[in-house]
Amino acid sequence: DGIKTLKVDDTPLPKSKNLDVLGEFERSKSKKSASFVVVGHVDAGKSTLMGRLLLDLNVVDQRTIQRYRKEAENIGKSSFALAWVLDQRSEERSRGVTIDIATNKFETENTSFTILDAPGHRDFIPNMIAGASQADFAILVVDATTGAFEAGLKGQTREHSLLLRSMGVSRIIVAINKLDTVEWSQERFDEISQQVSGFLSATGFQLKNVSFVPVSGLHGDNMVKRSSEPTASWYTGKTLIEELESSEPMTRALDKPLRMTISEVFRSAQSPLTISGRIDAGSLQTGDALLVQPSGEKAYVKSLELDSEPVDWAVAGQNIVIHLSNIDPIHVRVGDIICDLKQPIGCIDTFTVKVLAFDILMPMQVDVHRGRLHAAGQIVEIPALLDKIKGTELKKKPKIVKPASVARVRVKMGTKVPLEAGQRVVLRSGGETVAAGLLE
Ligand code: GDP
């Protein structure tokens, strides 16, 4: 009587092999790996372009494409076939457990690529933000069709570029798409390249990190194979895949304390509590004790999986599946952070962030996004307006911040969330991105 039945976790703790993970990583390196996002205005041809790339690299087979082509023809939309490759893949994924960041992988001879953010998720900016915060580079798809490029520039082309910049992506490959619709006009290609260069440099990109490739995603010109159109012979630069292969991956924060945002939580054969995500910083190995934030609960790494294979360790930049033990699943949610037990990330409800404004900012309600994590909050103060390039103070306590200006703003959230200096956050309001920048 009065005796409570305590639920005791009697799983034996996993044993650590005490590996020198960074040393193991150095020895294991065989292929370069790089991840990227695909962005651009709706209908610019992102899905078609990715479908074509995967087809020409033999990641998806001709039979699958034929089937889609037939189905597409039946409804009188044969051009949709390639875009369906990706839609189909995302559908298959979504039928299982919930996966927020669609992780598509493909390999060429010297590089293993991860496509972050499925282009199928149209206009889903938070998804793109999560992808961009992890990307080594971006493919910006613009539609060369007369009038379409101009419309795109007013639309998402500009917003996506601003977002990429404020999420720290510095390399952009601009795929000037649908050149088949303008007879492979070199003039049109040059005109668009110039305009895009103009606004990318105004946004703060260095043009040495920006390249332009004239392509037709639909027909596959200059994607994996060089265009055989006589009217396209003026282009002698790299194909899209050559541009992808020549992109250097970002240096990863391997020797920093462990940080990983949880992108999925599920049950698996190995464990009632399995999580996955991409390691943002640091490394981990089987047997490690970790801290889950914001719950502040400890857990152990029972085992790890990389590309469905069991592994003993993992490092920053890898997408990993972790089977956890000795923790109640109620303490672990999508968007939470797992981190180093000795150097954990703190949970805060107020922070200062240096942002690039996309819209007018003033004391107002905002949603704070960092990867999968989001929380309601408000701008409570604007300490200073800053110089865009130098970052020096231009004006103290401005009443408002105009679009395209840089400012230091103070944000307070309704709850404490794991956040720390050096992280990038996006502020949204009414479904629109209003600002993005770096936590101070
Ligand atoms: P997304 O919204 O950016 O993913 O665009 P989609 O891939 O769905 O393509 C939008 C439309 O443009 C579809 O009708 C495609 O067939 C068409 N399209 C895509 N790429 C090309 C291209 O290179 N040339 C032509 N002519 N049409 C294309």
Side-chain angles (χ1 to χ4, degrees):
D1 324 4
I3 298 171
K4 282 192 197 133
T5 330
L6 285 179
K7 222 176 106 194
V8 179
D9 184 352
D10 54 4
T11 331
L13 296 187
K15 283 213 180 64
S16 175
K17 291 189 182 169
N18 286 319
L19 298 171
D20 161 22
V21 174
L22 297 192
E24 294 285 330
F25 176 61
E26 278 307 314
R27 285 188 287 280
S28 74
K29 266 192 206 162
S30 53
K31 239 180 205 189
K32 194 166 87 171
S33 65
S35 52
F36 64 91
V37 282
V38 185
V39 303
H41 195 63
V42 171
D43 286 340
K46 300 179 291 295
S47 316
T48 309
L49 181 127
M50 284 319 303
R52 167 58 71 178
L53 196 67
L54 297 179
L55 173 69
D56 287 358
L57 290 168
N58 301 317
V59 181
V60 287
D61 57 274
Q62 193 68 43
R63 270 214 350 250
T64 311
I65 295 278
Q66 289 300 356
R67 206 180 74 224
Y68 291 142
R69 218 164 248 162
K70 242 184 121 187
E71 284 171 18
E73 272 163 17
N74 286 344
I75 60 159
K77 301 201 169 205
S78 55
S79 65
F80 282 10
L82 284 173
W84 280 5
V85 173
L86 281 156
D87 292 349
Q88 167 68 16
R89 288 162 67 95
S90 51
E91 222 175 77
E92 274 173 9
R93 281 190 304 261
S94 63
R95 233 179 284 135
V97 285
T98 48
I99 297 180
D100 291 299
I101 291 189
T103 303
N104 283 301
K105 282 183 181 255
F106 65 92
E107 295 199 358
T108 60
E109 222 166 281
N110 61 33
T111 315
S112 144
F113 292 102
T114 303
I115 314 170
L116 300 160
D117 181 33
H121 296 175
R122 284 160 199 254
D123 314 315
F124 193 45
I125 296 273
N127 216 47
M128 184 198 141
I129 292 167
S133 64
Q134 308 176 347
D136 291 309
F137 62 92
I139 302 181
L140 170 64
V141 183
V142 301
D143 182 344
T145 312
T146 315
F149 165 69
E150 289 71 13
L153 201 53
K154 290 199 194 84
Q156 289 125 327
T157 310
R158 192 182 295 275
E159 188 190 13
H160 287 185
S161 309
L162 280 167
L163 266 174
L164 290 175
R165 178 76 194 109
S166 39
M167 295 319 286
V169 175
S170 56
R171 163 134 173 85
I172 298 194
I173 299 167
V174 186
I176 302 187
N177 193 27
K178 308 196 192 179
L179 271 195
D180 53 294
T181 66
V182 291
E183 279 87 47
W184 288 90
S185 158
Q186 180 173 8
E187 223 175 288
R188 181 70 175 153
F189 173 76
D190 289 342
E191 179 197 344
I192 294 178
S193 307
Q194 258 173 32
Q195 286 203 44
V196 174
S197 297
F199 89 75
L200 287 182
S201 66
T203 312
F205 287 96
Q206 287 186 286
L207 291 182
K208 68 173 170 58
N209 295 326
V210 180
S211 38
F212 297 89
V213 189
V215 299
S216 167
L218 188 60
H219 302 293
D221 302 68
N222 296 338
M223 299 281 301
V224 175
K225 290 170 236 156
R226 197 159 280 284
S227 177
S228 55
E229 294 285 332
T231 44
S233 62
W234 53 267
Y235 182 72
T236 52
K238 287 181 180 157
T239 57
L240 189 71
I241 192 71
E242 285 167 350
E243 282 293 352
L244 296 186
E245 289 195 303
S246 61
S247 296
E248 278 307 310
M250 285 192 298
T251 33
R252 314 241 177 247
L254 297 181
D255 51 0
K256 297 260 172 65
L258 174 74
R259 298 290 185 261
M260 183 186 103
T261 306
I262 300 174
S263 63
E264 314 167 60
V265 178
F266 53 99
R267 279 174 169 275
S268 65
Q270 287 87 340
S271 167
L273 183 55
T274 297
I275 61 174
S276 73
R278 183 176 175 279
I279 304 176
D280 295 320
S283 64
L284 81 176
Q285 61 181 301
T286 307
D288 276 358
L290 314 163
L291 192 76
V292 181
Q293 284 288 49
S295 66
E297 295 283 328
K298 190 164 126 181
Y300 287 89
V301 178
K302 197 165 139 201
S303 55
L304 294 165
E305 271 175 55
L306 184 68
D307 297 334
S308 310
E309 297 288 331
V311 289
D312 289 326
W313 52 268
V315 297
Q318 292 177 326
N319 280 291
I320 189 90
V321 170
I322 308 176
H323 305 295
L324 294 175
S325 70
N326 298 76
I327 184 165
D328 190 321
I330 62 166
H331 300 305
V332 184
R333 292 163 312 180
V334 168
D336 287 358
I337 293 195
I338 60 161
C339 60
D340 189 299
L341 202 59
K342 294 191 195 87
Q343 290 166 275
I345 186 169
C347 292
I348 54 174
D349 63 2
T350 310
F351 61 86
T352 306
V353 58
K354 195 173 128 186
V355 294
L356 173 65
F358 293 8
D359 211 326
I360 294 181
L361 302 182
M362 57 187 101
M364 62 200 258
Q365 302 290 330
V366 284
D367 282 319
V368 180
H369 289 256
R370 203 225 61 239
R372 297 286 102 188
L373 183 148
H374 53 92
Q378 55 181 325
I379 296 178
V380 287
E381 201 192 330
I382 307 172
L385 194 67
L386 307 173
D387 182 277
K388 224 192 222 176
I389 313 284
K390 290 178 274 183
T392 47
E393 278 194 14
L394 291 178
K395 187 181 177 188
K396 279 200 196 308
K397 302 207 170 189
K399 286 218 171 61
I400 62 158
V401 181
K402 289 199 187 126
S405 327
V406 174
R408 182 173 284 132
V409 301
R410 195 122 177 97
V411 177
K412 187 166 170 35
M413 296 170 292
T415 50
K416 288 200 170 185
V417 298
L419 272 180
E420 64 189 349
Q423 288 183 328
R424 291 180 185 273
V425 295
V426 169
L427 306 181
R428 308 193 86 223
S429 169
E432 301 276 333
T433 306
V434 292
L438 205 59
L439 237 75
E440 296 194 316

